């Protein structure tokens, strides 16, 4: 029932009536929430629209692989494309340098639909009578695409973000390597968030906070677990009362198990990323499309703001793929047919059918 | 009250009675535990909603550390309970502690908080409102606010406990069970479990999450009076499914 938040209640707002003309980066969700995009179209669909404003998103890193950076980059780029102010904190010496690696929105729309089309054709023929439903579903997510800015862009990971997005005034970079205590960072976040007070009714611009590898050992505070926890708690509280989203990535293996749990409880939306080993024969046999996968994404918790109903997804594990080595795509895991050798068959989906690849198989 | 269909949770808590009796949770400590996978916030919502039902004259003092008022307001409105109106009627006291901190080595903050609660309680007792429910959402955040000085939190809870024994208040607290699983001597949770008259645990199903069963609830009710003057423990276990306007409870396996 609750696969996509947007359709759970019959009283939810009409998604077609998004405030696209005023602010392309925002989308109304159910229960009076407003979504901003994660920068990954598939992730938005999985989460039912994106990250709701006022929520804290935590990403558990794979300590040995940089997959969390993929999520972080797209999240940051999407914000910059929408001209949403950004606060970026990282344990590197020069966090500004990271901005140079941000991906640029590709002309992926045409690209992507071209790729998807043949697949649709050969995968499953859809009777023409039902085509209209199919289109409708697509539209709800893509309705803003005719405008100059889309709600969610496809980002080309090989193309750096154009300069004019970066040169604007609203980017704030902080290095958390040298900081001994977190009050400075907390104040920085607090002043940043004062730009986005929450007042119901009118939509002010939204802000994004991205904190990378928060508890990494380069930071001098990294052994002060209670201080970090209380920082996250105050960040969460501040975020709640402002029109902003914070994404914090952290390697849980560096925390004690009890604290890692505490952090996970703090999160409104909890994701984890994991690399997959290069030559895992067993796994390669089990899953189709193993060759193209770069990692796995787990959705542990989906934000429930203004509601007590949990969001139960059809599938919680998704494979991260790079389409044409450029575009980040999330797909449900598909179990390989038992005696098949090719990886291109999507026919037997065991875990679920197409939450991320909406519509291609949903009949 | 009679026409309200009772559910398994109310039965397990002894909340089903004819309305003539006093609030059955009076003088008791209720501890609710949950996990990352399964939130038990709905149990708090249910208890608050029952306490604020129009047939009773209960008063709720709500210590909110985890969500702002707007969240609770929306959730309760969907449950059929208007918090704004209730707080105007002096039946719902909302203490917004989302931003409050009780920094290092300083017990003062929590003592002041207790003073606040006690003031509310004593003023209510003067108005002859006997049944007061104190709800803490949630304790792990209070620990974080106290910067790890769990003993202060424990002291605070002991003070609140005296309110239950002295004035017949109900203390309801939410905590997260899985935080303490790997710890050596998790004093806070152990002491609380010892204090609790009713212990509820929300867990995911062993088989994982499903859309029609959101998890299972295990309730240990200590000291249910069975009429003959002796007390006994009762353990109930059932599944639940959380909805906007309420929660469905059912026995394991009774769903197709």
């Amino acid at each position: 029932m609750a696969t996509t938040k947007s359709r759970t209640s019959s009283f939810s707002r009409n998604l077609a009536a998004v405030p696209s003309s005023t602010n392309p980066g925002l989308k109304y969700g159910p229960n009076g929430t407003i979504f901003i995009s994660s920068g990954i179209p598939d992730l938005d669909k999985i989460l039912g629209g994106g990250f709701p404003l006022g929520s804290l998103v935590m990403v558990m890193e794979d300590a040995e692989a940089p997959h969390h950076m993929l999520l972080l980059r797209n999240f940051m780029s999407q914000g910059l494309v929408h001209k949403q102010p950004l606060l970026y904190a990282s344990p590197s010496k020069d966090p500004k340098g990271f901005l140079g690696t941000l991906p640029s929105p590709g002309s992926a729309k045409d690209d992507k639909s071209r790729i998807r089309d043949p697949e649709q054709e050969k995968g499953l023929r859809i009777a023409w009578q039902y085509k209209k439903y199919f289109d409708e579903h697509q539209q709800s997510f893509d309705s803003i695409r005719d405008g100059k800015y889309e709600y969610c862009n496809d980002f080309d990971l090989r193309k750096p973000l154009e300069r004019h997005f970066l040169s604007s005034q609203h980017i704030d970079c902080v290095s958390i390597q040298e900081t001994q205590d977190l009050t400075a960072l907390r104040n920085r976040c607090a002043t940043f968030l004062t730009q986005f007070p929450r007042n119901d009714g009118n939509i002010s611009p939204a802000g994004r906070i991205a904190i990378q590898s928060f508890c990494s050992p380069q930071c001098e505070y990294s052994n002060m677990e209670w201080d970090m926890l209380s920082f996250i708690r105050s960040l969460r509280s501040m975020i709640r009362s402002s029109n902003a989203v914070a994404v914090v990535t952290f390697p849980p293996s560096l925390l004690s198990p009890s604290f890692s749990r505490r952090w996970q409880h703090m999160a409104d939306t909890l994701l984890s990323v994991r690399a997959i080993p290069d030559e895992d024969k067993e796994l390669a046999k089990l899953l189709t499309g193993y060759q193209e996968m770069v990692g796995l994404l787990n959705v542990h918790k989906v934000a429930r703001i203004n509601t007590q109903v949990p969001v139960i997804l059809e599938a919680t594990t998704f494979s991260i793929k790079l389409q044409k080595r450029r575009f980040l795509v999330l797909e449900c895991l598909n179990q390989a047919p038992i005696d098949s050798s090719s990886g291109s068959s999507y026919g037997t989906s065991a875990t679920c059918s197409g939450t991320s690849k909406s519509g291609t198989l949903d009949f | 009250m009679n026409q309200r269909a009772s559910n398994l949770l109310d039965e397990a808590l002894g909340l089903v009675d004819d309305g003539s009796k006093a609030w059955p949770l009076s003088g008791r400590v209720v501890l609710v535990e949950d996990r990352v996978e399964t939130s038990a916030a709905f149990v708090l919502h249910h208890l608050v909603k029952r306490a604020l039902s129009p047939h009773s004259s209960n008063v709720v003092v709500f210590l909110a550390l985890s969500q702002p008022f707007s969240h609770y307001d929306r959730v309760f409105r969907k449950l059929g309970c208007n918090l704004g109106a209730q707080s105007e009627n002096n039946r719902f006291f909302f203490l917004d502690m989302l931003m409050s901190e009780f920094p290092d080595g300083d017990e003062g903050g929590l003592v002041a908080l207790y003073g606040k609660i006690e003031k509310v309680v004593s003023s209510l007792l003067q108005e002859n409102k006997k049944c007061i429910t104190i709800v803490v959402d949630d304790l792990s955040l209070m620990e974080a606010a106290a910067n790890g000085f769990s003993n202060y939190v424990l002291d605070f809870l002991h003070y609140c406990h005296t309110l239950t024994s002295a004035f017949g208040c109900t203390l309801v607290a939410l905590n997260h069970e899985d935080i303490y699983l790997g710890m050596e001597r998790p004093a806070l949770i152990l002491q609380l479990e010892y204090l609790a008259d009713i212990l509820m645990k929300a867990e995911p199903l062993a088989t994982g999450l499903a859309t029609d069963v959101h998890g299972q609830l295990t309730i240990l009710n200590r000291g249910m009076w069975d009429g003959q003057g002796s007390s006994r423990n009762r353990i109930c276990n059932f599944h639940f499914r959380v909805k906007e306007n309420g929660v469905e409870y059912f026995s394991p396996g009774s769903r197709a």
Side-chain angles (χ1 to χ4, degrees):
Chain A
M1 157 207 155
T3 29
T4 52
K5 251 185 172 178
S6 46
R7 279 175 290 148
T8 48
S9 156
S10 50
F11 292 105
S12 64
R13 264 178 229 258
N14 188 359
L15 278 180
V18 283
S20 51
S21 53
T22 51
N23 205 331
L26 303 176
K27 185 159 90 174
Y28 281 117
N31 303 315
T33 51
I34 301 172
F35 287 121
I36 61 171
S37 170
S38 64
I40 304 170
D42 289 333
L43 186 59
D44 284 354
K45 281 176 204 167
I46 291 165
L47 298 177
F51 299 142
L53 288 182
S55 71
L56 172 65
V57 181
M58 302 199 75
V59 181
M60 295 194 274
E61 303 172 5
D62 184 334
E64 282 144 20
H67 287 66
H68 56 278
M69 307 287 258
L70 291 172
L71 300 185
L72 215 54
R73 280 200 190 100
N74 279 29
F75 173 75
M76 290 164 68
S77 277
Q78 186 67 70
L80 294 180
V81 166
H82 286 148
K83 300 208 163 48
Q84 289 161 346
L86 170 74
L87 175 71
Y88 171 62
S90 118
S92 75
K93 271 235 162 58
D94 173 32
K96 247 199 160 78
F98 183 69
L99 297 177
T101 69
L102 293 183
S104 160
S107 53
K109 190 192 154 198
D110 314 325
D111 253 16
K112 217 173 179 180
S113 51
R114 227 183 291 134
I115 289 167
R116 281 195 172 170
D117 274 340
E119 210 174 75
Q120 281 164 19
E121 296 307 316
K122 82 168 177 234
L124 196 63
R125 289 271 291 280
I126 294 156
W128 62 270
Q129 294 99 317
Y130 299 116
K131 274 256 162 76
K132 60 177 177 186
Y133 299 111
F134 188 72
D135 286 343
E136 215 169 58
H137 182 71
Q138 286 288 62
Q139 246 168 27
S140 70
F141 284 107
D142 301 1
S143 54
I144 321 161
R145 297 213 156 171
D146 347 305
K148 196 184 168 203
Y149 296 114
E150 302 165 351
Y151 170 69
C152 181
N153 294 87
D154 282 297
F155 285 95
D156 185 341
L157 300 185
R158 292 173 129 193
K159 218 162 84 188
L161 195 62
E162 288 159 45
R163 283 244 156 234
H164 68 93
F165 288 119
L166 298 174
S167 56
S168 48
Q169 301 299 312
H170 47 250
I171 306 174
D172 199 357
C173 290
V174 192
S175 170
I176 49 177
Q177 191 177 45
E178 302 287 305
T179 45
Q180 271 144 24
D181 73 313
L182 287 161
T183 38
L185 183 59
R186 183 184 306 197
N187 293 337
R188 200 82 174 252
C189 290
T191 45
F192 177 77
L193 287 173
T194 50
Q195 303 172 60
F196 321 103
R198 167 154 312 178
N199 38 358
D200 289 330
N202 73 330
I203 309 155
S204 51
R208 296 181 185 227
I209 293 182
I211 301 180
Q212 182 202 327
S213 304
F214 182 56
C215 62
S216 70
Q218 294 101 301
C219 313
E220 289 182 27
Y221 55 78
S222 67
N223 52 358
M224 306 195 292
E225 290 190 307
W226 282 108
D227 286 10
M228 290 195 286
L229 187 70
S230 86
F231 170 80
I232 290 180
R233 173 176 171 265
S234 68
L235 178 64
R236 179 177 181 270
S237 310
M238 290 189 290
I239 283 280
R240 270 286 189 285
S241 49
S242 50
N243 277 333
V245 172
V247 174
V248 178
T249 72
F250 70 100
S253 49
L254 293 183
L255 292 166
S256 68
S258 141
F259 272 88
S260 158
R261 282 287 170 185
R262 281 182 196 272
W263 287 38
Q264 293 173 35
H265 276 287
M266 290 280 180
D268 293 302
T269 299
L270 182 64
L271 310 171
S272 72
V273 285
R274 199 151 33 102
I276 48 175
D278 270 344
E279 296 293 326
D280 192 338
K281 292 261 168 56
E282 299 260 309
L283 210 59
K285 229 184 271 171
L286 274 175
L287 302 170
T288 58
Y290 180 78
Q291 286 78 23
E292 302 110 74
M293 285 186 203
V294 292
L296 297 173
L297 174 95
N298 254 294
V299 182
H300 299 270
K301 209 154 74 162
V302 182
R304 48 179 123 176
I305 288 182
N306 298 338
T307 179
Q308 61 172 357
V309 181
V311 179
I312 309 286
L313 302 172
E314 274 181 55
T316 54
T317 309
F318 299 88
S319 59
I320 307 172
K321 292 184 180 176
L322 289 179
Q323 205 167 51
K324 293 175 134 193
R325 297 194 178 177
R326 283 167 183 271
F327 302 105
L328 204 59
V329 184
L330 302 177
E331 282 176 12
C332 287
L333 292 182
N334 289 309
Q335 229 166 44
I338 295 160
D339 53 351
S340 132
S341 51
S342 76
S344 63
S345 158
Y346 292 97
T348 53
S349 72
T351 40
C352 59
S353 59
T355 320
S356 65
K357 300 199 56 158
S358 62
T360 48
L361 293 167
D362 265 343
F363 283 95
Chain B
M1 209 153 181
N2 288 329
Q3 68 264 37
R4 186 188 291 120
S6 72
N7 55 42
L8 286 168
L9 178 62
D10 285 343
E11 276 170 34
L13 297 175
L15 278 176
V16 270
D17 45 18
D18 32 29
S20 59
K21 270 200 247 164
W23 175 241
L25 292 179
S26 156
R28 313 189 79 182
V29 178
V30 182
L31 177 65
V32 187
E33 294 181 1
D34 66 1
R35 289 160 180 262
V36 173
E37 300 85 17
T38 314
S39 160
F42 71 91
V43 179
L44 293 193
H45 301 155
H46 179 80
L47 288 173
V48 170
K49 191 202 161 195
R50 284 302 305 266
L52 291 177
S53 80
H55 305 276
S56 70
S57 60
N58 283 5
V59 181
V60 175
V61 180
F62 200 99
L63 275 65
L65 289 104
S66 81
Q67 301 285 354
F69 182 76
S70 59
H71 171 90
Y72 295 111
D73 191 33
R74 273 180 187 270
V75 169
F76 277 96
R77 209 172 289 176
K78 282 179 274 194
L79 291 171
C81 177
N82 188 337
L83 291 186
Q86 297 285 11
S87 58
E88 272 170 28
N89 294 338
N90 278 345
R91 290 191 57 194
F92 183 76
F93 291 88
F94 187 82
L95 302 182
D96 188 350
M97 297 173 25
L98 202 58
M99 303 294 267
S100 44
E101 309 241 321
F102 315 111
D104 308 46
D106 167 28
E107 209 178 351
L110 282 168
V111 171
L113 177 64
Y114 173 73
K116 226 186 209 169
I117 295 170
E118 198 194 17
K119 219 169 96 190
V120 172
V121 168
S122 58
S123 74
L124 286 169
L125 286 171
Q126 277 168 9
E127 290 171 39
N128 242 344
K129 287 182 175 163
K130 288 273 157 54
C131 297
I132 301 159
T133 307
I134 303 166
V135 184
V136 185
D137 181 20
D138 61 62
L139 283 178
S140 72
L141 290 171
M142 196 180 263
E143 274 186 284
N147 214 1
F149 288 87
S150 305
N151 285 340
Y152 294 156
V153 177
L154 206 51
D155 288 349
F156 171 78
L157 289 167
H158 278 295
Y159 282 127
C160 290
H161 184 229
T162 59
L163 291 177
T164 70
S165 46
F167 304 117
C169 298
T170 311
L171 178 64
V172 181
L174 174 69
N175 209 347
H176 306 303
E177 184 189 11
D178 45 5
I179 290 175
Y180 305 95
L181 283 180
M183 271 162 98
E184 247 169 52
R185 283 178 56 241
L188 183 83
I189 197 87
L190 288 180
Q191 293 224 25
L192 262 176
E193 287 182 357
Y194 179 74
L195 281 183
D197 298 296
I198 298 175
L199 181 62
M200 294 193 235
K201 287 188 184 193
E203 289 161 324
L205 296 183
T207 46
L209 295 178
T211 44
D212 48 353
V213 183
H214 288 164
Q216 59 177 329
L217 205 57
T218 310
I219 300 181
L220 169 65
N221 197 336
R222 292 185 186 126
M224 289 277 289
W225 295 95
D226 59 358
Q228 273 116 44
S230 63
S231 69
R232 65 199 160 91
N233 290 348
R234 209 177 81 176
I235 296 181
C236 310
N237 176 280
F238 46 82
H239 292 174
F240 60 84
R241 179 181 172 191
V242 184
K243 298 192 296 188
E244 293 285 7
N245 57 356
V247 184
E248 282 175 31
Y249 303 96
F250 41 90
S251 314
S254 68
R255 275 292 159 99

